[in-house]
């Protein structure tokens, strides 16, 4: 589905654009620096129109006490993180009006105050971007859809561990959850629909 509209009360939600994730050299199809540049462009446009920008970061306790329980085939859940890995990248910070949400799961809704923050501001639609497309972004998009938000996905302001997983989300999952568009298309539509 092509991008058709942005509700009057739309928020930008950026997932896990933080030091320990953006710097991953294996991201595909876009390197972290490109994702951050596009995300910053979206954030600037939303701020210019007085619309909320939500910066979501993931973190974990050093002792693993807040780790999600359960057995997985994909290796150990416990991991040692370098100092500062969970700090949001500098290109997106420094705006007092932005909302920061801290999560400890893949998705940005479960166990956080994201839904409360959005509903108190009358938000009916979110535009999503971030890393990784098939993990944090897709999980958040699924939950946003289930919470009744209109969802738009900025497909070039996100990237993944492999191009294949990115494309699976973009081509097969996202069309079932909302509308997709590029950063340029979203910024252009924002300008056309706002005074």
């Amino acid at each position: 589905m092509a991008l058709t509209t942005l509700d009057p009360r739309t928020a930008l939600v950026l997932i896990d654009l933080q030091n320990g994730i953006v710097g991953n050299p294996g991201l595909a199809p876009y390197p972290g620096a490109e994702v951050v540049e596009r995300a910053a462009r979206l954030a600037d446009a939303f701020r210019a129109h007085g619309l909320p920008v939500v910066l979501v970061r993931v973190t974990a306790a050093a002792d693993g006490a807040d780790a999600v329980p359960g057995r997985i085939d994909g290796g150990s859940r416990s991991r040692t993180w370098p100092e500062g890995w969970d700090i949001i990248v500098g290109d997106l910070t420094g705006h007092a009006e932005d909302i920061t949400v801290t999560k400890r799961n893949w998705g940005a809704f479960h166990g956080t105050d994201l839904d409360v923050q959005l509903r108190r501001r009358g938000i009916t639609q979110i535009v999503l971007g971030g890393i990784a497309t098939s993990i944090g972004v897709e999980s958040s998009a699924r939950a946003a859809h289930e919470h009744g938000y209109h969802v738009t996905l900025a497909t070039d302001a996100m990237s993944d561990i492999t191009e294949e997983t990115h494309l699976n989300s973009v081509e097969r999952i996202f069309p079932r959850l909302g509308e997709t568009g590029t950063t340029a298309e979203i910024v252009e539509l924002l300008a056309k629909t706002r005074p």
Side-chain angles (χ1 to χ4, degrees):
M1 178 181 282
L3 182 60
T4 61
T5 190
L6 293 172
D7 293 354
R9 296 301 304 156
T10 297
L12 175 65
V13 179
L14 298 171
I15 307 294
D16 300 345
L17 296 180
Q18 58 196 60
N19 294 335
I21 294 175
V22 168
N24 182 340
L27 295 174
Y30 310 109
E34 283 185 31
V35 173
V36 170
E37 184 275 324
R38 291 181 186 121
R41 203 162 23 136
L42 285 166
D44 289 344
F46 272 71
R47 291 181 194 117
H49 291 287
L51 295 172
V53 173
V54 182
L55 304 172
V56 179
R57 69 184 197 106
V58 65
T59 195
D63 65 358
D66 57 0
V68 177
R71 290 179 288 279
I72 59 172
D73 284 340
S76 171
R77 290 186 193 270
S78 63
R79 186 170 171 186
T80 303
W81 297 98
E83 184 71 28
W85 76 277
D86 57 354
I87 296 173
I88 295 169
V89 295
D91 291 356
L92 294 171
T93 60
H95 302 273
E97 69 276 15
D98 289 354
I99 302 159
T100 301
V101 171
T102 300
K103 67 184 177 84
R104 288 170 170 76
N105 300 288
W106 283 4
F109 283 88
H110 183 74
T112 74
D113 66 345
L114 177 58
D115 188 49
V116 170
Q117 293 281 0
L118 297 173
R119 291 195 191 280
R120 286 186 178 166
R121 290 165 174 81
I123 300 302
T124 58
Q125 181 170 2
I126 64 170
V127 173
L128 276 167
I131 299 172
T133 308
S134 67
I135 301 174
V137 177
E138 183 178 313
S139 295
S140 300
R142 286 174 183 263
H145 178 73
E146 290 167 355
H147 279 74
Y149 293 99
H150 298 288
V151 179
T152 297
L153 298 124
T155 57
D156 64 346
M158 59 182 72
S159 200
D160 210 320
I161 299 162
T162 69
E163 187 167 4
E164 179 184 25
T165 54
H166 172 84
L167 291 175
N168 183 68
S169 294
V170 170
E171 294 173 358
R172 293 184 177 93
I173 307 300
F174 292 166
R176 300 179 69 128
L177 300 175
E179 296 182 336
T180 59
T182 65
T183 297
E185 290 169 338
I186 293 166
V187 169
E188 181 182 351
L189 185 58
L190 197 57
K192 285 181 182 177
T193 58
R194 301 298 184 283

